[in-house]
C-alpha cells in the first residue's frame, strides 16, 4: 500500500536573543489607605440592616426593580434588573441614577432619562440616552459597627484590631505581588514574542479561536447572558468579534506557546516523571472528592499538568536572564 499524507506543520521559528532581554521587577507596596479600604468593605459586610418606611437617602440600601428603554420605547439590553440591592452614594450606577432614587419611599415609582457616559464600558450603551423606570421595593438603613477590637473579633479570629490590620496588610501584599508577577511575566514574554518570528499554521489559530470562544460563551452563561446579547451590547457582529478580538488573541497565544516550547528545547528543560508525580499528589491533596482526585490521573490531564509545569520552568529561566 502507498499512502500520501498532506499536513500543516509549524514553520521556522526565529527566536529573539532572549538571554539579553532585561526587565526590572516591581515590589508590591501596600499603603495605609489600602488597608482602610478593606476595613470599610468589612464594615459593610457585618453592618446591621433595618428596614425603614421613609424617604431613601445617601448610605441607605434600596431594593429596586428597574427597566431602561431607548427613544423608540424598545428595551435596552443590560439596563434592567429585579430586586436589585443598591447602596445610595456608592456610585456603582451611571451618574444621576442614584440621585434620582433619593427621596423615594417604598412602593413609589419614578421615570427619568439619563445619558450613558461617552467612555462607558459597553460600547452599545456609550453616549446613549435611556429612559429608566424605577420602583422602590424596600429601604434598609445601614448601621455600620465601630472599628475596634470587638469588630476585629467579629470579622475573623483576631483578638485585636492591630492583628486584623496586620493580617489584611499581609494578604494584600501577597495578592499584589502575585498580580505584579503575572504582569511581569506577560510583559517579559511579550517582549520576546515581539522580537521573534514564527510561521504559524492557520489551523492552530482557528483551533485556539475555538477554545477561546467556548470559554467566552461559558463565562457569559454564568452571568446569565447569551452570546448574541453580548455581541449586541458590544455593537459587533459575530464575524467582527472573531476577526478583531478573538483572532489577534489566538494568534498571540499560539505564538507565545510555540516560542516557550522552543526555549524549553534550547535550554534542555523538561519535566521528569518524579516531578510530575509529586505535583499530582499535591493537587490531589487539595480535593476531598475521590472523583476529582481520580480525574487527575487521566492521561490528558497529566499531560496538561506537565505542560503547565514546563511553562513554569521556562518562565523561571527567562526571569533569571532578565534580572541578572
Amino acid at each position: 500500500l502507498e499512502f500520501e499524507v498532506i499536513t500543516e506543520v509549524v514553520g521556522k521559528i526565529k527566536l529573539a536573543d532572549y538571554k539579553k532581554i532585561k526587565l526590572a521587577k516591581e515590589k508590591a507596596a501596600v499603603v495605609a489607605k489600602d488597608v482602610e479600604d478593606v476595613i470599610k468593605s468589612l464594615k459593610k459586610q457585618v453592618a446591621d440592616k433595618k428596614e425603614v418606611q421613609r424617604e431613601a437617602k445617601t448610605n441607605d440600601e434600596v431594593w429596586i426593580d428597574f427597566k431602561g428603554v431607548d427613544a423608540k420605547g424598545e428595551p435596552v439590553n443590560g439596563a434592567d434588573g429585579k430586586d436589585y440591592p443598591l447602596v445610595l452614594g456608592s456610585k456603582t450606577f451611571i451618574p444621576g441614577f442614584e440621585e434620582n432614587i433619593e427621596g423615594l419611599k417604598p412602593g413609589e415609582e419614578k421615570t427619568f432619562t439619563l445619558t450613558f457616559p461617552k467612555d462607558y464600558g459597553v460600547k452599545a450603551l456609550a453616549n446613549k440616552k435611556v429612559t429608566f423606570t424605577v420602583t422602590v421595593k424596600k429601604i434598609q438603613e445601614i448601621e455600620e459597627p465601630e472599628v475596634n477590637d470587638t469588630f476585629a473579633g467579629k470579622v475573623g479570629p483576631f483578638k485585636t484590631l492591630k492583628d486584623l490590620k496586620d493580617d489584611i496588610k499581609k494578604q494584600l501584599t501577597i495578592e499584589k505581588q502575585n498580580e505584579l508577577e503575572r504582569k511581569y511575566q506577560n510583559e517579559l514574554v511579550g517582549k520576546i514574542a515581539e522580537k521573534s518570528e514564527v510561521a504559524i499554521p492557520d489551523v492552530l489559530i482557528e483551533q485556539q479561536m475555538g477554545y477561546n470562544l467556548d470559554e467566552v460563551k461559558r463565562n457569559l452563561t454564568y452571568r446569565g447572558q447569551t452570546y448574541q446579547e453580548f455581541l449586541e451590547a458590544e455593537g459587533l457582529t459575530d464575524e467582527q468579534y472573531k476577526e478583531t478580538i478573538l483572532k489577534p488573541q489566538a494568534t498571540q497565544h499560539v505564538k507565545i506557546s510555540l516560542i516557550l516550547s522552543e526555549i524549553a528545547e534550547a535550554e534542555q528543560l523538561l519535566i521528569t516523571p518524579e516531578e510530575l508525580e509529586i505535583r499530582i499528589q499535591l493537587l490531589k491533596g487539595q480535593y476531598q472528592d475521590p472523583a476529582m482526585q481520580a480525574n487527575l490521573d487521566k492521561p490528558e490531564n497529566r499531560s496538561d499538568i506537565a505542560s503547565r509545569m514546563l511553562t513554569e520552568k521556562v518562565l523561571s529561566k527567562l526571569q533569571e536572564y532578565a534580572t541578572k
Side-chain angles (χ1 to χ4, degrees):
L1 296 176
E2 183 177 313
F3 294 94
E4 181 178 322
V5 179
I6 300 175
T7 182
E8 292 193 68
V9 296
V10 176
K12 185 179 179 181
I13 298 176
K14 185 179 178 182
L15 279 179
D17 191 353
Y18 58 86
K19 294 182 181 180
K20 291 184 178 179
I21 294 178
K22 305 297 179 184
L23 186 63
K25 297 189 76 169
E26 290 183 66
K27 189 174 181 180
V30 175
V31 297
K33 184 181 180 304
D34 297 329
V35 176
E36 289 306 314
D37 286 343
V38 176
I39 294 287
K40 287 179 183 178
S41 178
L42 290 172
K43 283 174 65 179
K44 288 182 171 58
Q45 290 178 27
V46 299
D48 291 325
K49 297 179 182 179
K50 179 178 66 176
E51 190 168 345
V52 293
Q53 300 296 320
R54 58 164 172 74
E55 294 181 349
K57 62 182 182 180
T58 302
N59 295 326
D60 284 342
E61 184 170 67
V62 183
W63 294 72
I64 59 173
D65 288 346
F66 64 98
K67 181 176 67 174
V69 297
D70 59 20
K72 297 179 181 178
E74 296 292 329
V76 176
N77 285 331
D80 64 307
K82 286 278 189 183
D83 291 318
Y84 188 94
L86 173 64
V87 176
L88 300 185
S90 62
K91 297 182 180 179
T92 51
F93 273 40
I94 62 172
F97 190 96
E98 294 171 29
E99 290 82 351
N100 270 285
I101 297 175
E102 289 187 16
L104 296 181
K105 295 179 180 179
E108 290 187 337
E109 181 180 286
K110 185 176 182 180
T111 299
F112 51 91
T113 301
L114 296 173
T115 301
F116 278 76
K118 293 180 181 179
D119 58 351
Y120 194 68
V122 180
K123 294 180 182 178
L125 293 176
N127 207 34
K128 185 172 184 175
K129 281 190 176 182
V130 175
T131 298
F132 291 96
T133 298
V134 178
T135 302
V136 176
K137 306 290 284 292
K138 68 177 179 180
I139 300 171
Q140 290 184 313
E141 188 174 85
I142 301 175
E143 296 180 0
E144 294 185 352
E146 186 180 345
V147 179
N148 50 28
D149 292 345
T150 303
F151 167 76
K154 194 173 182 179
V155 299
F158 307 104
K159 292 182 179 180
T160 66
L161 179 59
K162 183 181 182 303
D163 292 340
L164 170 61
K165 288 186 174 182
D166 287 346
D167 186 72
I168 290 172
K169 186 173 183 179
K170 177 183 176 182
Q171 297 303 323
L172 285 178
T173 301
I174 292 172
E175 288 176 15
K176 285 196 171 189
Q177 194 59 55
N178 288 338
E179 185 180 340
L180 285 174
E181 188 72 15
R182 288 191 294 271
K183 180 182 173 184
Y184 178 85
Q185 290 177 352
N186 289 337
E187 191 175 345
L188 177 58
V189 173
K191 282 178 174 289
I192 295 171
E194 187 180 346
K195 297 180 179 181
S196 300
E197 296 177 13
V198 184
I200 309 172
D202 290 339
V203 66
L204 289 183
I205 296 174
E206 290 169 7
Q207 187 180 52
Q208 187 61 47
M209 284 175 65
Y211 293 147
N212 291 356
L213 183 58
D214 287 343
E215 182 67 20
V216 167
K217 289 180 177 179
R218 273 196 298 272
N219 290 335
L220 289 172
T221 301
Y222 296 147
R223 286 158 43 188
Q225 189 179 27
T226 66
Y227 177 58
Q228 191 56 43
E229 288 172 342
F230 166 73
L231 291 176
E232 290 173 5
E234 293 296 316
L236 297 170
T237 64
D238 176 60
E239 185 178 348
Q240 288 172 332
Y241 178 67
K242 288 177 179 175
E243 193 63 29
T244 61
I245 306 295
L246 286 182
K247 189 172 183 178
Q249 289 177 348
T251 302
Q252 183 71 352
H253 181 95
V254 173
K255 182 178 181 180
I256 288 174
S257 295
L258 293 172
I259 287 171
L260 292 179
S261 178
E262 190 77 1
I263 293 174
E265 187 173 337
E267 295 290 332
Q268 297 183 336
L269 299 174
L270 50 83
I271 302 300
T272 66
E274 292 77 18
E275 288 174 319
L276 178 58
E277 197 57 44
I278 290 171
R279 176 65 65 90
I280 288 175
Q281 291 305 318
L282 288 173
L283 290 171
K284 283 182 177 180
Q286 297 175 14
Y287 300 106
Q288 300 299 320
D289 184 2
M292 289 292 291
Q293 293 178 343
N295 197 43
L296 292 169
D297 286 324
K298 291 183 178 179
E300 62 271 24
N301 290 331
R302 292 177 69 90
S303 176
D304 183 59
I305 293 167
S307 177
R308 291 171 186 271
M309 291 174 68
L310 183 58
T311 297
E312 291 169 8
K313 275 195 176 184
V314 175
L315 291 173
S316 178
K317 177 61 69 174
L318 292 176
Q319 287 184 62
E320 283 181 28
Y321 290 132
T323 53
K324 276 184 179 179

